[in-house]
Each structure stands twice: as C-alpha cells, then as structure tokens.
Amino acid sequence: MGVVIETFIWEPSSSFFIFFFVSTFLSISLFPYLAKNRTFGSFDHSISSSFARFQRWFLAIYTLSSVMEGLLSVYGELELTTYGLSKESMVFYLCVGYSTAPVLGPVLGVVSDLIGQKKICLLYCVLHLIVGVWKRITMSPSAWFANVFLSLAGLVYSFGFETWLVVEHEKQSQRNDSLNETFWLMTFLESASLIGGQVLANWLVGENVQDGIALSATASLLLSVVTIICIVQTAKEPLKTLPFRDYSTAFYAYVLGDKRIWFLGTSQACLQFSTAVFWILWAPTIVADGREVNLGLIYPCFLGSRMLGSTVFPWLMSGQSLLRLEDCLVYIYALLGIVFSIVAYDYQEIRILVVLFCLFHGFAGLALPLLARLRTMYVPNELRGGMISLSQVPANAAILFFLIQRGYSNKIENSTMMALGAISLFTASGCIYMLRRWGKSPHHDWHKL
C-alpha cells in the first residue's frame, strides 16, 4: 500500500487582501470629511482648468508607463530560464543592465533638463517600443540588449515624469496642494499599475511561457504607441533657454555646492539601494526553509501595502501631523532600518517575513511622496532631473558590486546584504536629520539662473 504525501503550498490568507482594500478605501474616502485642511488636492476645485486637464492626462500617461515598466519585468528569471541560460549568464545580464545606470544615468538627467522633460518621456516610450519590437521579431534571448534598454527606460522613469510634472506646475503657477496630491497619486497608481501588469502577464502566459513573453512584448509595444500618442496630445512645453554653460554653473552652485542637496541625495540613494536589495532577495529569503510558497500571491501584498502607505501622505500634508516633513522621514527611515535588521538578524517564519516586508513597502510608499515634496523644496526645477539621476549613481554602483560579489564568487551572504541595506536606511535617517538641522534658506528665484 502506497503512502501519499500531501504537499502544502503556503499562500497569504484572503484577509490580507481584504485588509489592504478596506484600509486603502477608508483612508481615501474619509479624508475629505476628517482632514483639517479640506482644500487639499483632488478635493480642491480652485485649480485652473488647464492644469486640471494636464493633471488628468499626466496621470493617465504615468499609469500606462507604469504598466509598461512592470509588464516585461514580471517574468524575470523565468524568461532567462526558458532560454536555457545558466546562473552565471543570468548574473552577467543583470550586471550589464546595472552597469549602464551609473554611466549613462547622469547624462540622461542632464539631457532631460536641457531638452525638456516631455521629450525625455517620449524617449522612455521609444525604448519600450524598441524592446517590444525586438522581442517580437527575434524571439531570442538577447537579454543584454533588452536589459540595457530597459535599464535606460527605468532611469528615465525615475526622474522624467516627476520633473515634467513640477515644471508644468510651476509654469502655470498653481498652488502646492495640487502638486502634493499628484505626488501621492503617482505612487498609488504606480503600485496599482504594477499589480495590473502582473495580472495581464499571468493572463497572457497561458500554458507556454515563450508565447506569453511574446504576447507581453506585443502588449508593451501597443501600450508604448498609445502612450506616445497621449504625450504628443498634451500641451506644448516651452523651449529651454538655459545654455549648457549656464546650466553647469548653476548645477555646481545649487546642487554640488549645497550640503543640503548632498544629504537629500544620499537619503534617496540609500532608499533605492535597500529597495533593490529587497527585490533581489525577498523570494530567496521567504523560501529559505525549503517550503513551497505561492510567490505570485505575495507580490500583490507588497504593492497593496505601498498603496496604503501612499494614502497617508495627504493626511500628513493636511495638518494632521505636528511633525515636519523631515521629522517624518527621520522616523520612517529608522523604522525601515529596523525591519531590515530583523530580517538580517535571523530567519523568521514565512508569515512574519511577509508582514515585515509589507511594513517595509507601506513605509516606503509614504516616504516616496515625502521625498518628492522635499525635492520640490530644495532642488531647482531646472536642475531636478540631473540631481535625481546623479543621486542614483552610488546606489546603482553598490548594487552592481554586490551582484558581482554574490553572483560570481559567493563572498557575500544574503543576510549580509540585508544588514547593509539596514545600515543604509539608518544612514538615510541620519542624513535627513542633518538636513533638518541645516534648515531651508530663503527661496531663490531659479528663473534667474
């Protein structure tokens, strides 16, 4: 008589999803009635019709771009596995993508400030269009080619759309409330779009992974075409009049020569590094004890928690909190560091790990619009793209270094990388604290640069 061994696949309870949905819905729906400042964001009807129209177009464009950003990244290692690539080859392709960022990232940021953010956002769509066409035509690994183009697109995505928004906001002389609203909506819609991209990719994959990858490439291609049309339909942006020589002088004076920008940039780089460490190690960490886990259902929990965290931002900006933005970020970074420290110290049960990782994304969802708001306070809009891209260089370089050390020589353990992520978050907390101590100087007229 045979013995049947039942296998148990761990997956999050439905109560997880219900909690995120109900909490997010209540946070958004109750805000107009309970907030102290009731003229915030989408509940403020005093913004001009032209900016409201631009805001709707912009959020639609950003949503489509977020779907593109997540659609081709869903498969990840599975796509490379279907082509029969070894682990060393996968690490190589990842390193090629990350090596592009430190070299070309600052160049793209400066170019976006000089030629205009609308054009750089069009470049983002063109890069996705090229990758979609290439994957659809060749149906070959060509991972280095795709990784380079997707890495460049990710760089443009990280600063191009935000800079386009603030420049348009300044051009139309709108209140800061409408800008603050768009910041948290960008984080909210990005997370929702990534979930939608996962659903779409899983629906397209069917029984054959290669066919699913081809269909996803086709979907990305079509989305890029639609997004290009939407960007072209928006209002024409003003021509840039700042020559490169004046731009470089202003960049040195107001970015490289300002210690506050160094503190802010370092905190951004630390959050980016810890987030990259998380996305590299979250799956190996959860399955470390050998149990089967339904990772496809855990992924939406992370993004759902980030959506919930982003909805806390309007409550803070409406006067519900007695803390300044810098004080909030000091505590948020410290809490994020504690979460990473717990994971790095010892292996936890899967349920505890999922809760910790959800806390990480919840606080990160709140930190992202807060950082965007601080950039608006400290960084000139004319130099914003260059500043953001420059701050990403140390994070991308560190990620590349650890990928090489971990992927090829196995000199660094996963717990060590988690510990370094925790140290970077505590460092970011200290940087924001120093930024708080330095304070904000009187507002400069950046148009006189």
Side-chain angles (χ1 to χ4, degrees):
M1 181 178 179
V3 178
V4 178
I5 301 176
E6 295 184 0
T7 58
F8 173 75
I9 301 178
W10 192 95
E11 59 186 33
S13 171
S14 58
S15 58
F16 272 85
F17 305 101
I18 296 174
F19 168 77
F20 289 129
F21 177 80
V22 173
S23 300
T24 304
F25 175 79
L26 291 177
S27 179
I28 296 175
S29 60
L30 294 179
F31 175 79
Y33 306 101
L34 300 180
K36 293 181 180 179
N37 179 9
R38 301 182 183 222
T39 61
F40 182 82
S42 58
F43 313 106
D44 179 15
H45 301 284
S46 63
I47 62 176
S48 66
S49 59
S50 60
F51 184 76
R53 182 170 57 253
F54 168 80
Q55 187 184 48
R56 289 192 293 269
W57 274 101
F58 174 82
L59 290 175
I61 291 169
Y62 188 75
T63 301
L64 292 174
S65 302
S66 300
V67 174
M68 285 191 291
E69 188 70 12
L71 188 60
L72 294 180
S73 63
V74 169
Y75 299 99
E77 182 180 342
L78 178 62
E79 178 182 1
L80 302 179
T81 304
T82 57
Y83 297 127
L85 298 179
S86 63
K87 176 186 175 182
E88 289 74 17
S89 299
M90 296 180 190
V91 174
F92 170 75
Y93 291 135
L94 284 175
C95 291
V96 168
Y98 275 108
S99 63
T100 307
V103 178
L104 297 180
V107 177
L108 286 175
V110 172
V111 169
S112 72
D113 290 333
L114 293 176
I115 69 174
Q117 288 69 36
K118 184 175 178 179
K119 295 177 182 178
I120 209 70
C121 292
L122 283 172
L123 174 63
Y124 169 84
C125 299
V126 171
L127 290 172
H128 273 280
L129 179 65
I130 293 174
V131 172
V133 172
W134 181 270
K135 287 192 173 186
R136 192 59 189 164
I137 293 177
T138 62
M139 288 300 295
S140 64
S142 59
W144 67 269
F145 177 86
N147 275 4
V148 169
F149 275 68
L150 291 178
S151 178
L152 293 177
L155 288 170
V156 174
Y157 179 84
S158 64
F159 62 81
F161 292 97
E162 178 186 314
T163 309
W164 183 22
L165 168 67
V166 296
V167 168
E168 186 70 22
H169 176 271
E170 183 182 46
K171 183 181 73 173
Q172 299 194 25
S173 302
Q174 296 299 305
R175 295 172 52 181
N176 287 334
D177 289 344
S178 57
L179 188 61
N180 295 335
E181 173 211 22
T182 315
F183 283 152
W184 77 265
L185 282 177
M186 288 172 66
T187 304
F188 182 89
L189 293 175
E190 176 190 359
S191 304
S193 301
L194 291 176
I195 296 176
Q198 182 200 26
V199 173
L200 179 60
N202 289 332
W203 178 69
L204 292 174
V205 69
E207 298 295 334
N208 191 306
V209 176
Q210 291 191 359
D211 290 343
I213 294 172
L215 291 174
S216 296
T218 303
S220 178
L221 190 156
L222 295 176
L223 286 173
S224 61
V225 173
V226 173
T227 308
I228 289 174
I229 296 174
C230 291
I231 293 176
V232 172
Q233 291 298 318
T234 56
K236 182 179 180 181
E237 67 177 355
L239 295 176
K240 296 292 178 181
T241 59
L242 193 64
F244 177 75
R245 178 177 297 180
D246 294 340
Y247 176 88
S248 59
T249 302
F251 194 86
Y252 178 81
Y254 295 106
V255 176
L256 298 180
D258 193 339
K259 292 182 180 180
R260 299 167 304 166
I261 304 299
W262 281 92
F263 290 136
L264 180 59
T266 302
S267 67
Q268 293 175 181
C270 290
L271 180 60
Q272 180 188 357
F273 171 74
S274 61
T275 303
V277 169
F278 167 82
W279 285 121
I280 294 173
L281 297 180
W282 77 272
T285 302
I286 288 180
V287 301
D289 65 350
R291 282 189 288 177
E292 293 189 52
V293 181
N294 193 335
L295 299 176
L297 290 180
I298 298 178
Y299 177 78
C301 292
F302 301 154
L303 298 178
S305 62
R306 193 164 74 160
M307 293 170 64
L308 176 59
S310 66
T311 62
V312 180
F313 177 77
W315 291 89
L316 293 178
M317 297 301 298
S318 66
Q320 296 295 109
S321 174
L322 300 178
L323 299 175
R324 287 181 50 173
L325 297 183
E326 295 91 335
D327 295 327
C328 293
L329 274 174
V330 168
Y331 296 124
I332 289 172
Y333 274 127
L335 291 172
L336 290 173
I338 292 173
V339 169
F340 259 55
S341 300
I342 295 173
V343 177
Y345 176 72
D346 191 16
Y347 176 78
Q348 307 292 331
E349 282 292 324
I350 294 179
R351 185 182 299 273
I352 298 177
L353 283 174
V354 172
V355 172
L356 290 173
F357 289 155
C358 286
L359 287 174
F360 172 81
H361 280 279
F363 287 120
L366 176 57
L368 291 174
L370 285 173
L371 285 172
R373 177 60 185 151
L374 284 183
R375 285 191 289 268
T376 304
M377 294 170 56
Y378 290 100
V379 183
N381 291 338
E382 290 84 350
L383 313 175
R384 194 182 186 111
M387 179 269 173
I388 297 176
S389 60
L390 183 63
S391 68
Q392 295 175 346
V393 172
N396 289 321
I399 296 166
L400 176 62
F401 173 78
F402 289 120
L403 277 176
I404 295 175
Q405 293 295 313
R406 176 61 178 163
Y408 286 111
S409 57
N410 290 323
K411 292 182 179 179
I412 299 179
E413 298 295 331
N414 292 348
S415 59
T416 304
M417 293 184 64
M418 280 287 183
L420 292 172
I423 293 174
S424 70
L425 291 169
F426 288 127
T427 302
S429 180
C431 289
I432 297 297
Y433 176 76
M434 295 301 297
L435 178 65
R436 170 71 171 83
R437 291 191 61 184
W438 278 86
K440 188 177 186 299
S441 62
H443 178 70
H444 296 280
D445 186 1
W446 305 115
H447 296 288
K448 294 181 182 180
L449 293 176

